[in-house]
């Protein structure tokens, strides 16, 4: 009996001491993950800078640097906590620039008994890591990233259970509010009496209003810049390598969150859709990179915002808070739900059969349209634009111009610091470009100059006239808008939300219609000179 106990204990000891390699991806920098709750001598963590990640689209230089600095800082933090870490820099001679190749070599050379990884959030990486079960001769296991409010297919299961024809974000959002008891009273009713304060979140910045200056960070990233240049990594945009502005560590993320609740939250809801010349940050949190890289969790961000509001209800209206919570537990989780429910077919959706090329000014900002120039140049300068600039300026124009969705996807995925495919693709191909035929957006998000003028001061200093529909100086948005309605009239006639626009187009004077369509055709044929 004694020998049996000894043998059992020895067997358990072998199991516990399996030599384990754990892969940490560049968007899994969550120091609060249960993996790190205790350090063990038999566990080693590996992080890799890879050309497969820098090159799958042309990224903004600030995006590449943000991830690399974040990864290096995270690896250092793990080491300081006593964990064993293998870190492969991009220019390491042993780096084979592939997760699979590097893992096969690392497992073999170090005689690991098993590999563990957190479920990736991008479909392509999920497919690659799933294949490791066949590629490696050791045990391979996946665990949760412990980040999101929902599981991958939770939203799909919710709508399947309801047998709902449409996947409305608002329905999902209300379920999330109830399930997680956020801004809800004891009777599961919304605090303040309304589920959604979107109508209150559409104010234009008052004249002479000066928003809070954005919080910026300072870091010298010259060493990474030198490495990227030597490795000939192709990027877009600009960077101040001596004063890198983005927060990329846990401490910086917490600072950024506190700055938002203290300085920006009181006016966030009011002006979250506003746009203004020279104001690139306004009252937005700019926490999306921190959440998408998992440095901060959505729950801690939402909980901190609600806590701050609860302690300051005399100075912060609930409409400011609800608008922010809706972006996190509504749109962010909803987009992830769409992604995992509809991939891989979703990335090939092109319901409007758009085939035009993305204009050159998306890459250099050289256009006479002030709204486009402001939004694109800001994106090139900061690797950032807020949701209305993305949706109703650059996205709106691409949709009206009939640009092929894949080209639009690649641009958005590359240029923004927070862009990872799970969140970028449904936002771009679905909400922005209506390429999924209305799964995400019940109507296309298009507008003439009128909406842009309503929400910004861009039109006042523009070369083009916001009021003119035809003529050399007529705003391109105006004729392209009606051309878009006319080009896809058969689809809009059966869409109840497009009824007013269809009726307005049909009742217009035939001669005016011809002029509008001719002006639109001229713009489409001379896209790179407008």
């Amino acid at each position: 009996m004694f020998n049996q106990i000894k043998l059992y204990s020895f067997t358990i000891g072998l199991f516990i001491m399996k030599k384990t390699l754990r892969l940490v991806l560049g968007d899994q920098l969550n120091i609060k993950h249960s993996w790190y709750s205790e350090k063990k001598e038999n566990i080693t963590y590996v992080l890799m800078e890879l050309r497969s990640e820098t090159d799958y689209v042309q990224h903004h230089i600030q995006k590449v640097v943000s991830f690399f600095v974040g990864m290096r800082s995270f690896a250092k933090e793990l080491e300081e906590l006593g964990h064993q870490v293998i870190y492969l820099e991009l220019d390491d001679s042993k780096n084979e620039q592939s997760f699979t190749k590097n893992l096969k070599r690392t497992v073999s050379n170090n005689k690991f008994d098993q590999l563990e990884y957190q479920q990736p959030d991008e479909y392509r990486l999920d497919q690659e890591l799933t294949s490791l079960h066949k590629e490696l001769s050791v045990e391979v296991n996946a665990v949760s990233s412990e980040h999101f409010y929902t599981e991958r297919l939770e939203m799909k299961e919710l709508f399947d259970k309801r047998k709902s024809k449409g996947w409305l974000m608002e329905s999902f959002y209300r379920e999330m509010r109830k399930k997680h008891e956020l801004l809800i009273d004891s009777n599961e009713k919304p605090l303040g009496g309304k589920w959604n304060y979107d109508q209150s979140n559409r104010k234009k910045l008052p004249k002479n209003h000066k928003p809070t200056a954005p919080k910026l960070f300072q870091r010298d990233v010259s060493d990474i810049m030198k490495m990227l240049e030597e490795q000939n990594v192709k990027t877009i945009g600009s960077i101040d390598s001596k004063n890198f502005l983005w927060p990329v560590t846990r401490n910086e993320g917490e600072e950024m969150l506190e700055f938002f609740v203290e300085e920006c939250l009181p006016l966030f809801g009011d002006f979250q859709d506003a746009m203004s010349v020279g104001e690139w940050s306004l009252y937005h949190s700019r926490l999306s990179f921190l959440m998408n890289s998992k440095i901060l969790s959505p729950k801690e961000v939402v909980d901190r915002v609600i806590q701050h509001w609860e302690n300051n209800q005399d100075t912060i209206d609930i409409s400011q808070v609800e608008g922010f919570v809706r972006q996190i537990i509504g749109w962010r989780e909803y987009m992830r739900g769409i992604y995992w429910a509809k991939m891989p077919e979703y990335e090939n959706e092109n319901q409007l059969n758009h085939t035009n090329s993305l204009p050159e000014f998306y890459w250099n900002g050289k256009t006479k349209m002030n709204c486009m120039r402001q939004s694109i140049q800001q994106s090139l300068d900061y690797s950032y634009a807020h949701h209305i600039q993305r949706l109703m300026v650059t996205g709106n124009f691409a949709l009206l111009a009939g640009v092929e969705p894949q080209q639009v996807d690649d641009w958005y995925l590359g240029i923004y610091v927070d862009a990872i495919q799970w969140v970028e693709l449904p936002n771009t191909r679905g909400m922005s470009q209506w390429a999924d035929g209305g799964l995400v957006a019940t109507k296309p998000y298009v507008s003439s100059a009128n909406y842009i003028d309503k929400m910004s001061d861009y039109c006042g200093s523009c070369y083009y006239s916001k009021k003119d529909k035809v003529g050399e100086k007529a705003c391109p948005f105006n004729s392209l808008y009606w051309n878009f309605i006319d080009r896809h009239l058969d689809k809009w006639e059966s869409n109840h939300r497009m009824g007013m626009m269809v009726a307005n187009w049909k009742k217009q004077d035939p001669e005016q219609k011809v002029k509008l369509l001719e002006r639109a055709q001229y713009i489409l044929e001379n896209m790179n000179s407008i």
Side-chain angles (χ1 to χ4, degrees):
M1 181 67 177
F2 180 69
N3 288 336
Q4 286 180 323
I5 293 173
K6 283 180 68 178
L7 178 61
Y8 177 74
S9 299
F10 178 70
T11 303
I12 292 295
L14 282 177
F15 177 76
I16 292 174
M17 293 304 291
K18 272 186 177 179
K19 193 174 181 183
T20 301
L21 181 66
R22 287 177 170 174
L23 172 65
V24 180
L25 300 178
D27 63 345
Q28 295 177 341
L29 309 181
N30 174 18
I31 201 64
K32 299 293 186 179
H33 193 279
S34 60
W35 266 1
Y36 316 117
S37 58
E38 56 181 325
K39 57 181 181 292
K40 297 180 180 178
E41 292 181 1
N42 63 309
I43 294 176
T44 301
Y45 296 93
V46 60
L47 295 89
M48 311 174 190
E49 300 170 359
L50 303 178
R51 289 303 293 259
S52 62
E53 300 307 293
T54 61
D55 297 359
Y56 65 87
V57 294
Q58 194 169 15
H59 296 284
H60 198 294
I61 182 60
Q62 292 183 37
K63 180 182 180 183
V64 177
V65 170
S66 292
F67 276 102
F68 282 11
V69 175
M71 291 167 65
R72 293 182 182 192
S73 300
F74 188 76
K76 182 179 179 182
E77 185 174 5
L78 287 179
E79 289 178 329
E80 290 172 347
L81 291 171
H83 296 287
Q84 298 180 81
V85 179
I86 296 172
Y87 193 96
L88 281 174
E89 294 188 357
L90 194 72
D91 59 353
D92 192 311
S93 60
K94 299 187 297 296
N95 191 341
E96 298 186 63
Q97 308 301 336
S98 155
F99 285 115
T100 300
K101 291 179 180 178
N102 284 336
L103 288 171
K104 289 174 73 172
R105 177 181 50 76
T106 304
V107 166
S108 175
N109 290 352
N110 296 275
K111 294 181 169 47
F112 285 104
D113 300 310
Q114 66 177 356
L115 171 70
E116 294 180 345
Y117 64 88
Q118 296 174 33
Q119 286 182 321
D121 293 313
E122 287 192 288
Y123 184 84
R124 64 184 178 87
L125 291 181
D126 189 64
Q127 293 294 293
E128 179 178 357
L129 297 187
T130 299
S131 71
L132 289 173
H133 293 271
K134 299 177 182 178
E135 295 282 346
L136 299 180
S137 58
V138 300
E139 183 181 347
V140 179
N141 295 303
V143 302
S144 170
S145 66
E146 302 174 7
H147 177 73
F148 295 94
Y149 278 96
T150 55
E151 299 299 324
R152 280 182 177 178
L153 297 178
E154 185 174 333
M155 192 183 81
K156 180 181 185 301
E157 291 166 358
L158 170 67
F159 284 114
D160 284 349
K161 189 182 299 183
R162 288 182 165 196
K163 297 181 180 178
S164 175
K165 292 182 179 179
W167 290 31
L168 292 177
M169 190 283 290
E170 185 67 24
S171 300
F172 169 72
Y173 169 55
R174 294 185 186 189
E175 288 292 333
M176 291 288 287
R177 289 266 297 271
K178 292 175 185 177
K179 178 179 178 179
H180 298 284
E181 299 180 345
L182 298 169
L183 300 177
I184 291 289
D185 65 21
S186 58
N187 297 313
E188 289 195 338
K189 299 295 183 183
L191 293 180
K194 294 172 65 175
W195 287 104
N196 188 312
Y197 288 85
D198 189 45
Q199 294 295 326
S200 303
N201 301 152
R202 301 176 181 177
K203 296 185 176 72
K204 185 175 183 174
L205 281 182
K207 191 174 183 181
N208 299 322
H209 176 92
K210 186 64 180 174
T212 299
K215 181 175 180 60
L216 307 178
F217 293 81
Q218 288 187 315
R219 176 183 274 102
D220 190 327
V221 295
S222 302
D223 56 337
I224 292 181
M225 285 295 300
K226 181 181 178 183
M227 179 191 71
L228 294 173
E229 290 168 4
E230 290 175 348
Q231 295 299 305
N232 198 29
V233 175
K234 304 297 183 185
T235 60
I236 56 176
S238 60
I239 188 172
D240 182 348
S241 62
K242 299 292 185 181
N243 296 286
F244 186 62
L245 62 92
W246 286 101
V248 293
T249 67
R250 174 78 190 179
N251 287 340
E252 290 172 349
E254 291 173 343
E255 283 184 46
M256 194 72 166
L257 176 56
E258 289 307 303
F259 176 80
F260 172 66
V261 297
E262 294 286 349
E263 302 295 334
C264 300
L265 183 60
L267 291 175
F268 167 79
D270 286 350
F271 302 124
Q272 66 172 298
D273 288 0
M275 299 173 284
S276 183
V277 173
E279 298 292 347
W280 69 278
S281 184
L282 298 172
Y283 296 98
H284 292 273
S285 71
R286 291 190 292 119
L287 295 171
S288 51
F289 170 79
L290 292 161
M291 285 190 289
N292 292 354
S293 60
K294 300 182 181 60
I295 293 171
L296 296 181
S297 76
K299 185 178 187 307
E300 68 182 310
V301 169
V302 167
D303 287 351
R304 180 68 187 96
V305 167
I306 292 177
Q307 177 193 53
H308 186 76
W309 167 72
E310 289 174 341
N311 295 334
N312 297 275
Q313 293 187 46
D314 55 332
T315 57
I316 304 176
D317 188 77
I318 192 172
S319 64
Q320 316 297 330
V321 180
E322 186 279 321
F324 183 81
V325 170
R326 184 175 359 114
Q327 286 192 1
I328 307 301
I329 73 164
W331 282 112
R332 187 171 186 269
E333 298 279 336
Y334 173 77
M335 289 300 177
R336 179 171 178 262
I338 291 289
Y339 182 80
W340 284 108
K342 299 300 180 180
M343 285 293 285
E345 295 81 9
Y346 199 80
E347 63 182 335
N348 296 314
E349 289 279 16
N350 187 4
Q351 293 287 326
L352 296 177
N353 297 314
H354 284 175
T355 58
N356 290 340
S357 297
L358 195 70
E360 291 177 5
F361 54 73
Y362 274 77
W363 303 102
N364 56 34
K366 295 179 180 179
T367 171
K368 295 191 286 290
M369 291 180 287
N370 193 39
C371 61
M372 292 292 286
R373 184 171 65 252
Q374 294 288 331
S375 299
I376 292 170
Q377 192 60 55
Q378 172 186 307
S379 302
L380 293 168
D381 290 344
Y382 297 104
S383 191
Y384 174 81
H386 71 67
H387 63 283
I388 294 299
Q389 290 173 306
R390 301 188 200 195
L391 179 65
M392 297 308 300
V393 181
T394 55
N396 182 12
F397 188 87
L399 180 54
L400 294 179
V403 176
E404 179 192 15
Q406 184 62 57
Q407 296 186 42
V408 185
D409 281 340
D410 288 349
W411 186 78
Y412 279 99
L413 187 56
I415 200 167
Y416 292 120
V417 68
D418 55 10
I420 302 175
Q421 195 194 43
W422 68 265
V423 69
E424 175 277 325
L425 184 65
N427 267 297
T428 301
R429 198 165 290 236
M431 190 174 184
S432 173
Q433 297 304 294
W434 212 80
D436 63 5
L439 177 67
V440 169
T442 53
K443 71 177 183 68
Y445 278 86
V446 290
S447 78
S448 62
N450 183 56
Y451 174 84
I452 297 171
D453 185 50
K454 179 182 177 182
M455 295 309 305
S456 76
D457 56 9
Y458 291 157
C459 297
S461 53
C462 186
Y463 169 85
Y464 293 105
S465 167
K466 64 187 180 185
K467 295 181 179 179
D468 293 347
K469 296 180 175 61
V470 296
E472 182 184 343
K473 298 197 71 173
C475 174
F477 277 92
N478 292 336
S479 58
L480 288 177
Y481 174 81
W482 290 115
N483 181 69
F484 176 79
I485 299 297
D486 182 75
R487 191 166 74 248
H488 301 295
L489 193 60
D490 57 328
K491 290 185 181 296
W492 312 141
E493 286 179 324
S494 59
N495 185 318
H496 71 281
R497 295 199 66 195
M498 295 292 287
M500 181 179 295
M501 283 70 88
V502 169
N504 285 343
W505 175 242
K506 287 184 174 180
K507 71 181 183 182
Q508 288 198 36
D509 178 74
E511 188 175 331
Q512 178 68 0
K513 283 185 176 182
V514 171
K515 291 180 180 179
L516 281 166
L517 297 179
E518 286 178 346
R519 169 65 176 163
Q521 189 59 37
Y522 173 83
I523 292 168
L524 292 172
E525 291 174 356
N526 296 273
M527 193 65 72
N528 293 316
S529 62
I530 60 173

